[in-house]
């Protein structure tokens, strides 16, 4: 399954960390990665937005090249470009890209929103647990 390939290639170790990065829930991601459900088109679009090195058409239906050739991340035979100065590449984009900082800023804002939502969720769970403990 293509989503599993992405998950493994990007060296994710947990469904939860992948879910956070693609603004989804762990159960949804788990169902997709375990083959219990087919990923929705909207979900795959989010994956593509978060990891633009992957070709959206390939993500959706397996057609076309796996990698987008214009991201600057993958070279011939889909091998990661080796570069002695890894600082030249940030999130798969070359420093010379005029839109790089705008995209990085947008990406960081999206991550902040996700973390704020996750924090809010944890605070609600904490309150629920305290209520349960008080009743016991």
């Amino acid at each position: 399954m293509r989503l599993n390939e992405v998950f493994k290639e990007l060296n994710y170790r947990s469904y939860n960390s992948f879910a956070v990065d693609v603004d989804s829930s762990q159960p949804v991601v788990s169902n997709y990665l375990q083959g219990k459900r087919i990923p929705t088109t909207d979900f795959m679009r989010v994956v593509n937005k978060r990891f633009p090195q992957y070709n959206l058409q390939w993500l959706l239906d397996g057609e076309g090249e796996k990698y987008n050739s214009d991201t600057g991340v993958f070279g011939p035979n889909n091998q990661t470009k080796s570069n002695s100065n890894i600082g030249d590449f940030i999130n798969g984009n070359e420093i010379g890209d005029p839109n790089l900082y705008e995209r990085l800023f947008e990406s960081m804002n999206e991550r902040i929103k996700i973390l704020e939502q996750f924090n809010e969720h944890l605070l609600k769970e904490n309150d629920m647990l305290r209520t349960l403990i008080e009743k016991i």
Side-chain angles (χ1 to χ4, degrees):
M1 178 179 203
R2 293 176 298 280
L3 188 59
N4 281 318
E5 285 185 49
V6 171
F7 181 84
K8 289 175 184 174
E9 276 186 14
L10 297 173
N11 294 316
Y12 278 93
R13 302 214 186 279
S14 74
Y15 293 157
N16 192 53
S17 60
F18 186 73
V20 168
D21 279 355
V22 295
D23 195 22
S24 189
S25 69
Q26 186 273 331
V28 167
V29 167
S30 176
N31 283 334
Y32 291 158
L33 289 169
Q34 292 176 8
K36 293 178 181 176
R37 297 192 68 213
I38 297 171
T40 65
T41 300
D42 288 340
F43 178 83
M44 295 307 270
R45 287 183 192 279
V46 170
V47 170
N48 177 250
K49 183 175 181 184
R50 174 63 183 91
F51 307 110
Q53 64 266 36
Y54 294 99
N55 178 346
L56 178 60
Q57 197 62 46
W58 176 82
L59 287 169
L60 292 172
D61 59 20
E63 296 293 320
E65 296 293 320
K66 181 176 184 177
Y67 303 106
N68 284 319
S69 60
D70 60 347
T71 61
V73 180
F74 297 97
N77 302 320
N78 296 331
Q79 298 298 312
T80 304
K81 285 184 179 179
S82 61
N83 190 324
S84 59
N85 183 3
I86 195 66
D88 288 345
F89 292 90
I90 299 176
N91 281 348
N93 299 290
E94 293 189 40
I95 294 293
D97 181 351
N99 298 318
L100 173 64
Y101 295 108
E102 182 179 317
R103 287 199 312 259
L104 287 174
F105 183 75
E106 181 181 315
S107 175
M108 293 307 293
N109 279 332
E110 289 174 19
R111 285 177 177 243
I112 289 169
K113 286 178 189 175
I114 291 167
L115 290 172
E116 287 172 343
Q117 291 171 351
F118 188 65
N119 185 48
E120 185 177 316
H121 175 75
L122 290 176
L123 289 172
K124 286 178 184 177
E125 281 188 5
N126 190 32
D127 288 342
M128 287 177 14
L129 289 172
R130 282 188 181 164
T131 303
L132 287 172
I133 290 171
E134 289 172 2
K135 288 182 181 180
I136 296 175

